[in-house]
Amino acid sequence: MTHDEAHYRVLRMLQDNPDISQRELADALGVSVGKAHYLLRGLIERGFVKAGNFRRSNHKLGYLYKLTPSGIREKLNVTRRYLARREAEYKSIRAEIESLRAEMEAAARSGGDS
Amino acid sequence: MTHDEAHYRVLRMLQDNPDISQRELADALGVSVGKAHYLLRGLIERGFVKAGNFRRSNHKLGYLYKLTPSGIREKLNVTRRYLARREAEYKSIRAEIESLRAEMEAAARSGGDS
DNA sequence: AGCCCTGCGTTCACATTTTGAACGCAGGGA
DNA sequence: TCCCTGCGTTCAAAATGTGAACGCAGGGCT
């Protein structure tokens, strides 16, 4: 996972539901708790996310990871960059798929029995 | 880089030009010499690639990494798997791009000034 | 012959990255 | 009161990746 991708995914996740545990976040991102914590820490230290407490609906204590205004801006920037990257990947993957198909076909024609 | 992807790329590389140094291979794959060596070793030990010596056109000593028959079969299998994976990625990336675009648009409409 | 230069495969100690078990803490229920 | 749960946090260990350094062998030079 890229730096931008990780940040995008975290920011997106938090924006959609600020009440989320680091473990849930880790799960959603498919990374370890340690790493999720590390990512979150980075965003907090850079002022993009503010952590606070709140009471969950049923009186359970929980944390809140809320995007700050600069966090919202950052998320936009990160999304823009990530989108551009994905678009580039999309184009290149299409080319590769065509090339792979041609290659398979050629192989089938030459050594066609298995 | 995936396991399959790495193997596909190595086998493809060797099939196209069996005369190639591990450093060139490393360069082509964008990995370190150590890793290229490790990958190559794996393929050789599993009998997919046979290493031999040969004389380069201008009397320089070189190595030859030639795909064995089973190596050719393996390459076909690996290519098939890799292609399937890429096709899946292609579909999912398209969906993600659409979602990203929608997200950017929505953000532009709501907090439209920067 | 001797010598050096180059490029080869190979090694391996190191750096980087990732993991997840373990800890302390705090609220809620029995 | 005492546990149980789930939280953030830590950090030693595992996994992965790196590239400088080594020995070796052929080719070109004097």
Side-chain angles (χ1 to χ4, degrees), chain B:
Chain B
M1 195 177 348
T2 306
H3 196 71
D4 270 352
E5 177 175 358
H7 280 162
Y8 162 72
R9 294 226 263 161
V10 172
L11 289 173
R12 169 76 189 276
M13 207 66 192
L14 298 186
Q15 195 173 48
D16 287 359
N17 47 340
D19 61 326
I20 191 182
S21 75
Q22 297 190 3
R23 281 172 179 80
E24 288 169 333
L25 183 63
D27 243 48
L29 299 196
V31 298
S32 64
V33 205
K35 182 164 190 188
H37 176 72
Y38 168 78
L39 285 170
L40 201 42
R41 273 315 228 182
L43 292 173
I44 288 171
E45 267 158 26
R46 282 156 60 193
F48 297 141
V49 172
K50 186 82 173 19
N53 292 58
F54 80 116
R55 310 216 149 255
R56 280 180 132 84
S57 48
N58 44 357
H59 302 288
K60 300 192 66 171
L61 180 64
Y63 268 66
L64 239 203
Y65 300 106
K66 202 164 179 312
L67 270 59
T68 64
S70 88
I72 293 176
R73 277 196 300 278
E74 174 67 3
K75 193 212 160 206
L76 218 66
N77 290 336
V78 142
T79 305
R80 215 189 321 272
R81 285 202 299 274
Y82 179 52
L83 174 57
R85 200 152 127 20
R86 289 302 255 175
E87 281 170 339
E89 274 179 44
Y90 185 69
K91 274 176 60 174
S92 94
I93 202 179
R94 169 196 285 151
E96 190 184 18
I97 284 174
E98 273 167 29
S99 146
L100 284 166
R101 284 194 181 135
E103 192 184 331
M104 294 277 301
E105 234 183 84
R109 263 198 307 276
S110 78
D113 46 323
S114 73

